Amino acid sequence: MESDPSFRLKVFVVIAGVLGVFLVAFVAQRVWYWLKTRKRDDVETSRLAPIIDFSLLGLGGIVIWLALEGLVLSVHLGGFAVQPPSRQKIAEIEVGRIDAANGQLTLLFYPVDAAGQRRREFNVPVFTAGRRFELAVEVFDWRWGWQFLGEKGFYQYISLGGTEATTAVAPFVRDLSIRPKPGGVGGAMFLGPSLKWQAKPSNDVKEGDVYEVFMSGDQLELRLRDGPGQ
């Protein structure tokens, strides 16, 4: 359960699917029995209640459709990270090299694991320009009424690039996103609108600087760590 952020959604999909199939099957069984017995005098024919039966049939169809939308959404949410419940480090950004002559800036972006250690196999080099950088993250929560499907919402890194270039060329911005936020009916029904959080250092960076990225509450924080990256 801890390793699958969509666990509750999948449980909801299973329960909703079973309930929807039961409602449709219940109405279908009543209609089938009525068709088989309506012309027989030796069997008591069940009486149909069109309003109730059609209402149950429609409700069952809606529940099945809702379950299918939830199933598709659970697949699309597989690549997104869950927002931490409290202040937690989510990434590190190391300043690799600064070329003062042409303003080029090299950054190394490292996502971190739950223990705050670099996931070196996922490091991303960013070749940009300027003396500062900006990290952008997309955050979205469950829509009101569906919070029981997850304690927290989701996030993904959007981009990382330099700012305040010293040359006429605009700084390059590296796309870090995994995939677009889930859309369609399921995304609109279960998920709220996206928010864009940004963070950048307040001072010019220097070679060897390592910035730790923290997510807390409703913001991103950058903290300069002493010494070069580990």
Side-chain angles (χ1 to χ4, degrees), residues 15-102:
I15 295 175
V18 171
L19 177 60
V21 171
F22 170 78
L23 291 174
V24 173
F26 175 75
V27 176
Q29 181 269 338
R30 280 173 51 83
V31 173
W32 178 86
Y33 184 77
W34 176 78
L35 291 174
K36 289 291 185 180
T37 61
R38 63 191 176 93
K39 294 183 179 181
R40 294 182 58 177
D41 297 331
D42 59 331
V43 177
E44 183 178 356
T45 302
S46 61
R47 294 184 178 181
L48 295 181
I51 296 178
I52 296 178
D53 289 335
F54 280 109
S55 297
L56 290 177
L57 185 63
L59 179 60
I62 292 174
V63 173
I64 292 175
W65 169 74
L66 190 64
L68 293 176
E69 291 290 344
L71 179 62
V72 173
L73 179 63
S74 68
V75 174
H76 289 173
L77 287 175
F80 293 88
V82 178
Q83 298 176 37
S86 59
R87 185 174 183 270
Q88 180 177 317
K89 184 168 76 171
I90 61 172
E92 288 187 1
I93 301 172
E94 182 175 348
V95 182
R97 182 174 181 273
I98 299 176
D99 191 331
N102 54 24

Side-chain angles (χ1 to χ4, degrees), residues 158-180:
I158 299 178
S159 62
L160 174 63
T163 61
E164 302 177 10
T166 58
T167 64
V169 180
F172 172 76
V173 178
R174 178 68 179 265
D175 184 7
L176 302 176
S177 61
I178 302 173
R179 60 171 68 101

